[in-house]
Amino acid sequence: MELQRSWGILPNRMIGAAENISTGEMLIKLGPLVIILLAIVYLVIWLIYGKKMIVAESYKRELLTLQPASNLASDRGFLVGSCLIIGLTLLALLLQGVLGWKASYIAACGAVTLLALNYKELFQLVKRRDYLSIWQGLRETQLLFFFGLFIMIGGLTYAGITGFIAVRGLEISQGNIPFLSILLLWLTGFGSAMMDYIPYTAAMIPVVKHMGSMLPSAADITTITSLWWSLIVGTAIGSGVTLLSSMTSMYAAALSDQEGGGLTQRGYFIVAAPISLLLFIAATIYFKLFL
């Protein structure tokens, strides 16, 4: 389930940036829910596949021959420095609320510092005039992907689609924010199950913003923030319902096909859909009691 990675996935970073939600706040509010949902997933998986999870001796011997250290960079200075920078960046993100820094600035400083630490390779690329490698590196940063997302969000907002959805949601809920939060939780789960959850989250962010701006001024800010929690949890659970809803599921299907497992959309849905339904029910109860 995608929610277990908290701030680490793109939709959560997008939502955090849109509403200035800190990593620490996200961890406090959703951490207990993540533990509950993980416990449900592991329990169901154990009940279904527990007796089949027997590793052959040949596989055990093959795993023991692997050398994890062989995957580390040969430049120990860069290895230690990068670990230190990543650790400090994560610590700054967790203390974001105390420090008063924006998450985007913290992440950008960490990225620039890592680039500076790897200056030798960058200088070699420029010296060799290897512009193709530089272009490939830019493509791997998903710059074009983000560019397309921002265009899509702007188009939806300009066309009035986000406002229409927000107004309809408020009409259905009659201004009841707890009910609206649960309704948004289930609707976002259904929507993210039908398509990749990253563009879906990008399209829903202006909708939730529009809902927040249309709510009565007397509404408590903590209560309004529950709409963002619904978007985070709904897309996280919904992204695991079908193979098409996340790149992680598609990648797992590809690996399964290479190993001869043949993980199909139908086979995956038969197992994942009931588990996701249990997760939505547990999340609804958690929202009702704590959020």
Side-chain angles (χ1 to χ4, degrees):
M1 190 189 63
E2 302 290 342
L3 183 60
Q4 62 186 310
R5 284 182 282 171
S6 187
W7 184 267
I9 64 174
L10 177 58
N12 287 7
R13 295 199 298 269
M14 293 164 59
I15 294 170
E19 188 58 17
N20 293 321
I21 299 175
S22 66
T23 307
E25 185 180 2
M26 192 176 294
L27 185 63
I28 292 172
K29 291 291 185 179
L30 300 183
L33 177 60
V34 171
I35 296 173
I36 294 171
L37 299 185
L38 281 176
I40 295 174
V41 171
Y42 288 140
L43 177 61
V44 174
I45 294 296
W46 180 77
L47 291 174
I48 298 175
Y49 299 107
K51 295 182 179 179
K52 299 178 182 179
M53 292 182 180
I54 301 174
V55 182
E57 289 296 328
S58 59
Y59 289 121
K60 291 181 181 179
R61 289 194 295 269
E62 182 180 351
L63 287 173
L64 291 175
T65 61
L66 299 176
Q67 298 295 328
S70 63
N71 295 288
L72 297 176
S74 57
D75 186 349
R76 296 303 174 185
F78 176 74
L79 175 64
V80 175
S82 60
C83 290
L84 180 62
I85 292 169
I86 292 172
L88 291 174
T89 303
L90 290 176
L91 181 62
L93 286 172
L94 288 173
L95 299 176
Q96 178 191 348
V98 178
L99 298 173
W101 300 343
K102 288 188 176 182
S104 55
Y105 294 160
I106 296 173
C109 289
V112 170
T113 309
L114 277 175
L115 283 174
L117 192 64
N118 196 27
Y119 68 94
K120 293 181 181 178
E121 185 176 347
L122 295 175
F123 281 159
Q124 287 296 326
L125 287 175
V126 176
K127 188 177 180 179
R128 295 196 309 265
R129 296 184 180 180
D130 192 356
Y131 301 119
L132 180 60
S133 298
I134 296 174
W135 169 244
Q136 289 176 346
L138 287 174
R139 288 194 304 173
E140 290 176 358
T141 60
Q142 297 182 340
L143 182 64
L144 296 177
F145 175 75
F146 286 116
F147 187 68
L149 277 182
F150 290 136
I151 292 176
M152 183 186 69
I153 295 171
L156 290 173
T157 305
Y158 182 78
I161 296 175
T162 58
F164 173 78
I165 297 174
V167 171
R168 291 298 297 167
L170 290 173
E171 286 179 353
I172 294 173
S173 64
Q174 297 293 313
N176 189 320
I177 299 179
F179 175 76
L180 181 61
S181 299
I182 295 175
L183 177 65
L184 187 63
L185 170 72
W186 285 83
L187 289 179
T188 53
F190 178 79
S192 59
M194 297 297 104
M195 60 183 295
D196 191 283
Y197 69 111
I198 295 177
Y200 180 81
T201 303
M204 286 299 297
I205 285 175
V207 174
V208 178
K209 276 188 173 182
H210 209 107
M211 285 181 177
S213 65
M214 296 180 66
L215 289 171
S217 57
D220 185 68
I221 186 65
T222 304
T223 309
I224 296 176
T225 307
S226 66
L227 299 178
W228 294 105
W229 302 139
S230 299
L231 182 59
I232 293 173
V233 177
T235 52
I237 299 176
S239 64
V241 177
T242 63
L243 288 177
L244 299 175
S245 54
S246 74
M247 287 299 297
T248 306
S249 302
M250 294 295 291
Y251 187 66
L255 291 177
S256 175
D257 188 62
Q258 291 177 4
E259 297 294 330
L263 184 61
T264 62
Q265 179 69 262
R266 179 177 178 273
Y268 179 87
F269 181 78
I270 289 174
V271 176
I275 296 176
S276 299
L277 181 61
L278 289 175
L279 298 182
F280 274 117
I281 294 173
T284 301
I285 296 173
Y286 185 87
F287 268 70
K288 190 70 176 177
L289 296 176
F290 303 108
L291 296 179

